[in-house]
Each structure stands twice: as C-alpha cells, then as structure tokens.
Amino acid sequence: MATFLLRCSLILLAFAFASGAIVEHTLNIGNVAVQRLCSQQVITAANGSLPGPTITVNEGDTLIVHVINQSPHDMTIHWHGVLQFANGWADGPDYVTQCPIVTGSRYTYRFNVTEQEGTLWWHAHISYLRATVYGALVIRPRQGRPYPFPRPDAEVPIILGEWWNADVVRVVDDASASGVGPALSDAFTINGQPGDLYNCSSTNTYKLKVQRGKTYLLRMVNAGLQSIMFFKIANHTMTIVGIDASYTRPYTTDVITIAPGQTMDVLLRANQRPSSYYMAASVYQGSDFVTFNPTTTTGIVEYVGSTPSTPIMPRLPSSNDNATAHKVLSNLTALMSAPFWHPVPRRVDERMFITIGLGLLPCGATGNTTCQGPGGMRLAANMNNVSFAPNTSVSMLEAFYNKVDGVYTEDFPTNPPLQFDYTNMNNINNMALLPTTRGTKVKRVKYNSVVEVVFQNTALGSPENHPMHLHGYDFHVLAQGFGNYDSTRDQRKFNLVNPQIRSTIAVPIGGWAVIRFRANNPGVWFIHCHLEVHVPWGLAGAFIVENGPTPATSMIPPPADLPKCSH
C-alpha cells in the first residue's frame, strides 16, 4: 500500500510540474549592515536587501526556491497564504511542519501555486527574524486569463514593515527572559525605508513615480510584527480589488486598514494635479490600554513632469478610530464571478469557540526564577486558556505522518474552559481568570468536514485586535463585530452569499469574528496570531486534518532532504 501511495503521489507531483512553468529562485540568507535612523545596524536579510526579492509566478506554476542559510540563526521560510495542498512539508513554520535550516546548510522548497491569484508574501517563520527576512509573492493569472478588473498600467509592491535599532533576535530573547512584551519598534517602513519624517531618513524615502491618467496596482503587504496600520495617499482614493490572493468586489476608499499578515490589491488612479503627495501609514491600536509607537512612515507619490515641491500630507485617522478600521475590514465582499471563487459550505460538522487573550504562567514554568509580569509571573498569550509550547525534538507534521507519539496531544479544547464576560474591561487584571496552562495541543478533524470557528477576543491582560492566520487554508469570514458573541443574535448577521475570503482575519478589539472552511487539505496546519509579539507567549495552536479516502486526497511523502531537528 505504501508503494502504491508513493507512486500515486509522484504521478500527481509530475502532473503539477507539467501543468505550468517551473519558476526557480535562490534566497541567500545572511547578515548585512544597513543604515537606518542615523546609525548602522547588522540585520539578517535575503539576498542582501530589505525587503527581499519579489517572487512572481503565474497561477498553475511550480515554484522552486533554494534557501541557503549563511546567517548565524536557524531559519525557515513560510509562503504566507499559499495553500500547499497535501504538501505541508513546504509550508515552513518551525517545529510545526519542518525543523529549522541550521546555519551553514540549505534546503529547497518545492510547491505548486494553484487556484490562487493576487498578492501573498514570504517570510522567515522563526523567532523575530521575519522583521527583516521577507518579500512579496505575486501570483498573476495564467496566460490567456485576464484580471477581473481593467488591466493596470503598472504593478508595484508596497510593503509595510517595522524597524528596530537592535538585534531583533535579542529583542525577543530579552522578552522571553523577562516574561513581558518585546520592546516596541523604533520606526515603521515602506519598502524598507522609514521615510522623511524620521531623523536621517529623507534621502532614501521610497518614491513612486506616476504619470497622470494611468492606473497602478499597488500590491500591499503588512509585514510588520506588532501593529495594524492605517494607510492613505494624500488627495487620492484607492479601490480594493483583492485580499489575501482572493478577488473582491471593487471597494473604493480613501483609507486602508491592513493587519500584520494581510495583503491587499489596490488600484490607484493617478488623476490629481501633477505634484508630490505623501503616502503615509500609522498605527491603528483601538485601545488606550496598550503602549504603541505613535510615529508615521511615509513614501512619496511623485507625478512625472511635476515641479519639485513639499509633498502634500494626508490626514490619517487617530490610532483609536475603531469605526474607520472596522468599516474597511468588514465591508469587503468576495467577487463571485472570479476564478476559483467557492460558495460558503452550509452544513457545519465541527463548531469551535476560541477565546483569545493574555494570561499568566508561573515564572519557573519556562526555566526562569524571576519575571517582570504581574505578581512576579510571566505573560502567556493563549487560546481557550492553552498557551502553545512547541516540541523541538521533531516537527508535528513528521510526528503525524510517521505516527510518532509524545510530540503533541489531540485535546485542544473546542470551547473555553470557563465562560465569563469576555470583553468586560474590569477583567483586564482579574487574577482569578489570568492563570493559564502550556501545552502542544491540536484539534483533529476529519477530511472534508466543515469547520466553523468563533474567535472571541477578551479583555484579559490587554484588549487588542488580533490578526489570526490559518496556514493551508482560505476561509470565509461570515461576520465580525464588537462585544461578546451571541449565537442567537449574531448568526442573523452572517453573510452566506458573498463573504470575503481570507487567510488572515483581524478579530476586532473587544469583539469577535466567525470563519468557516472545508477541511480538504490533509496535514498539520498552524493557526496563530500574526502579532509576533504574542507568538513567543503562545497565542497559537494547530489543526490536524486527516487524509482523505484516496491517494489524491492524502499527504504526499516528505522530501528526502527534509531538515532534521537538532534539539
């Protein structure tokens, strides 16, 4: 039987290679000295640049990327939003689907990019290294199939990031040692540059030159680690036509809200008086209880032939403008006529209610004797009161595939262990509710079952907007709102016709979101908050999706050169 499955998998892989072009890239990961904010900092980067190279494929192509790790850090690369059907081996999260690529070694990712069009991205998926190891992944329609909107005159990646005047690995290590949150970034960036509102940054401010009357497709990515962002271009409107490599009905706005991990395809019409206009981004925090970086990053939209002048500055929303943020994030809908659109499954087999928030663990639970969290304890982000702690002896995917015991347990709770007034601000420091537990717990679901998840933010620790990312899947966002989710009241708000389709959902601060997906991709799939500030604290978990009934619906075998864990 094993030989038969291997043969079928190889046939499927050969078919995937034959159905489109083979696109090959090399990412050399190493340290490089760069100048930002008046000083020089050594960072880990891909191919010596920040951001790293944009990788472009057509839908149906096979992507082969050779990763050569010449940095002093272990490394993995995640292809954020790529479905990786039956091929979790190429997904990338450390200790979930693979062991790290150790210093001085290399690994080749091979996967097919199918049934997705639009903008995704790639990034390091270990420690804090995605602060500097990232780049855009552009998926164009296969030859002969047009965009479902007027073809733009040019396409431009616009990647929002964050910058530290420090070694980012040291930043997260210090946080882990102290038991409190990592230090805030020193600046935000647009395409790797802070912009001329920061000291010593005006010379290299990113500039987009445009011609009046032409249309530009901005392929936007929030590659930041800590902050949801507002983005505006002075005196211009933008039309959102895609999110997370899924087309949307055109939605015109003068401001965009984009969470870490999310992407947006945005049409910009250069229809203003020839001059210079700032593009600018600043934090959407939504709460006065959380400290954040209040600075603004800028780039410049410069019309060809315009007279040099001081750029016009847009007026950005205030950091706590929940109404504006929610309007943009909740009003998007799917384009039902687009290729690969799929309707909402109506039958639900598995229902989960997952609370998201901060809790506390005894300081000694992670080997430290003193911590700086409340009561001398350490902060521990969690879902349903479980703070994720990966096993570093073997990846979870290998353990599932090879039936290795002791790596994880299949008892992730379907509901929170305790019901309470989740969004009541009086519970921020409720010591009766804050203690949590650690574990490597997963939820197992049957192949092709339909899973519905209610994400409920809590006020515990600090009220925040959490961008939740599910690996291996796109999902329908049925509804989202503020307060405590009420099934009787809020199910009436479900959009079962054309809801937006995403792989990363920003769960509203003090609120909830409901997603639904069909579990037809076998393997182990990470689910976590893309505020990287919370991942070291454990705001993560995993789904195990069982193999289907045929070789074509089962996992392919692991690559022979899959990295092995060294711990």
Side-chain angles (χ1 to χ4, degrees):
M1 175 60 74
T3 303
F4 172 74
L5 292 179
L6 177 60
R7 185 182 300 114
C8 290
S9 298
L10 292 175
I11 291 171
L12 288 170
L13 186 60
F15 176 78
F17 273 73
S19 63
I22 295 176
V23 179
E24 196 163 2
H25 285 265
T26 297
L27 297 179
N28 286 288
I29 311 296
N31 280 4
V32 60
V34 298
Q35 189 84 15
R36 297 290 189 277
L37 303 185
C38 309
S39 63
Q40 193 174 76
Q41 177 68 38
V42 174
I43 65 169
T44 303
N47 296 2
S49 66
L50 178 70
T54 294
I55 295 175
T56 301
V57 298
N58 289 339
E59 188 276 325
D61 287 351
T62 294
L63 183 58
I64 298 176
V65 183
H66 308 287
V67 176
I68 303 171
N69 186 12
Q70 300 171 315
S71 82
H73 309 291
D74 290 352
M75 181 62 53
T76 71
I77 300 295
H78 171 49
W79 312 95
H80 187 108
V82 176
L83 297 179
Q84 305 286 11
F85 181 73
N87 184 24
W89 311 108
D91 193 40
D94 55 309
Y95 303 112
V96 178
T97 63
Q98 72 166 95
C99 300
I101 308 164
V102 299
T103 300
S105 64
R106 59 190 295 161
Y107 178 63
T108 297
Y109 293 90
R110 298 175 175 86
F111 55 93
N112 190 243
V113 182
T114 186
E115 297 190 8
Q116 292 179 283
E117 294 177 7
T119 304
L120 296 174
W121 62 302
W122 57 268
H123 60 81
H125 206 295
I126 188 168
S127 185
Y128 243 39
L129 289 169
R130 77 171 173 88
T132 53
V133 181
Y134 63 84
L137 173 58
V138 173
I139 309 170
R140 295 195 174 114
R142 64 176 63 200
Q143 191 170 3
R145 185 164 60 225
Y147 291 124
F149 47 79
R151 186 174 184 85
D153 296 289
E155 303 180 14
V156 184
I158 300 291
I159 306 180
L160 308 181
E162 295 187 68
W163 174 264
W164 278 260
N165 282 328
D167 180 338
V168 293
V169 173
R170 182 65 182 272
V171 167
V172 73
D173 286 348
D174 288 347
S176 296
S178 66
V180 296
L184 295 175
S185 60
D186 295 290
F188 301 104
T189 60
I190 294 176
N191 287 352
Q193 296 293 338
D196 57 11
L197 300 187
Y198 293 96
N199 292 334
C200 309
S201 301
S202 60
T203 302
N204 295 314
T205 296
Y206 173 73
K207 288 186 178 181
L208 171 61
K209 290 187 176 294
V210 300
Q211 287 189 330
R212 194 171 192 275
K214 292 192 173 182
T215 299
Y216 298 82
L217 177 58
L218 307 184
R219 294 187 174 275
M220 298 196 61
V221 178
N222 186 343
L225 279 73
Q226 296 182 342
S227 302
I228 300 173
M229 304 296 286
F230 286 123
F231 176 87
K232 292 187 77 170
I233 300 175
N235 293 8
H236 290 74
T237 59
M238 298 166 284
T239 301
I240 301 170
V241 293
I243 51 175
D244 294 0
S246 177
Y247 291 116
T248 63
R249 294 177 62 190
Y251 180 84
T252 300
T253 177
D254 69 341
V255 61
I256 283 170
T257 314
I258 185 168
Q262 291 185 332
T263 69
M264 283 188 176
D265 290 319
V266 177
L267 294 177
L268 169 68
R269 176 83 170 165
N271 57 5
Q272 296 299 301
R273 176 178 59 84
S275 186
S276 294
Y277 302 85
Y278 274 125
M279 60 173 72
S282 63
V283 171
Y284 161 58
Q285 183 56 52
S287 168
D288 296 327
F289 290 87
V290 179
T291 303
F292 64 94
N293 182 339
T295 61
T296 299
T297 180
T298 56
I300 298 173
V301 175
E302 185 175 86
Y303 279 70
V304 173
S306 62
T307 302
S309 61
T310 300
I312 301 168
M313 187 70 182
R315 182 176 180 179
L316 288 156
S318 62
S319 63
N320 61 356
D321 191 342
N322 289 313
T324 295
H326 186 66
K327 179 181 178 182
V328 176
L329 291 171
S330 64
N331 278 357
L332 299 175
T333 53
L335 184 65
M336 297 169 65
S337 61
F340 316 124
W341 174 83
H342 52 278
V344 181
R346 296 304 180 99
R347 183 200 77 249
V348 177
D349 303 297
E350 295 273 1
R351 298 183 190 273
M352 302 182 69
F353 189 98
I354 299 178
T355 54
I356 307 167
L358 290 179
L360 295 173
L361 284 169
C363 192
T366 53
N368 293 357
T369 56
T370 58
C371 290
Q372 299 172 21
M377 302 178 78
R378 64 182 302 107
L379 294 171
N382 61 79
M383 300 193 304
N384 280 355
N385 212 41
V386 177
S387 187
F388 183 76
N391 187 311
T392 59
S393 62
V394 64
S395 78
M396 297 169 69
L397 186 61
E398 286 183 273
F400 169 62
Y401 187 83
N402 294 316
K403 299 180 173 59
V404 178
D405 293 330
V407 176
Y408 55 79
T409 58
E410 297 183 9
D411 56 346
F412 182 85
T414 299
N415 294 286
L418 180 67
Q419 293 185 358
F420 58 97
D421 189 357
Y422 304 115
T423 56
N424 188 331
M425 299 300 287
N426 293 325
N427 284 325
I428 288 180
N429 296 311
N430 187 334
M431 295 301 289
L433 296 174
L434 285 170
T436 189
T437 59
R438 281 171 66 86
T440 313
K441 298 178 182 289
V442 305
K443 171 69 175 179
R444 179 186 282 258
V445 297
K446 293 186 179 301
Y447 177 83
N448 215 39
S449 61
V450 174
V451 182
E452 182 178 289
V453 180
V454 177
F455 291 114
Q456 174 68 63
N457 263 329
T458 70
L460 297 179
S462 66
E464 294 186 69
N465 184 308
H466 291 98
M468 299 301 298
H469 172 48
L470 175 58
H471 290 225
Y473 287 92
D474 289 334
F475 48 74
H476 292 96
V477 181
L478 302 187
Q480 47 194 307
F482 294 99
N484 295 328
Y485 176 76
D486 181 292
S487 59
T488 302
R489 175 194 64 211
D490 294 325
Q491 281 186 6
R492 300 171 191 161
K493 304 173 184 176
F494 283 9
N495 180 352
L496 299 174
V497 178
N498 64 343
Q500 59 181 283
I501 298 172
R502 282 196 175 276
S503 64
T504 305
I505 174 65
V507 183
I509 183 171
W512 51 268
V514 183
I515 70 169
R516 189 180 293 180
F517 65 96
R518 183 177 296 280
N520 57 6
N521 191 2
V524 179
W525 302 107
F526 204 36
I527 181 169
H528 64 101
C529 179
H530 230 264
L531 292 178
E532 201 71 18
V533 63
H534 288 152
V535 173
W537 298 344
L539 211 168
F543 282 100
I544 283 183
V545 179
E546 297 176 351
N547 282 326
T550 67
T553 56
S554 299
M555 287 180 57
I556 66 171
D561 60 344
L562 190 71
K564 301 300 180 185
C565 290
S566 58
H567 292 79

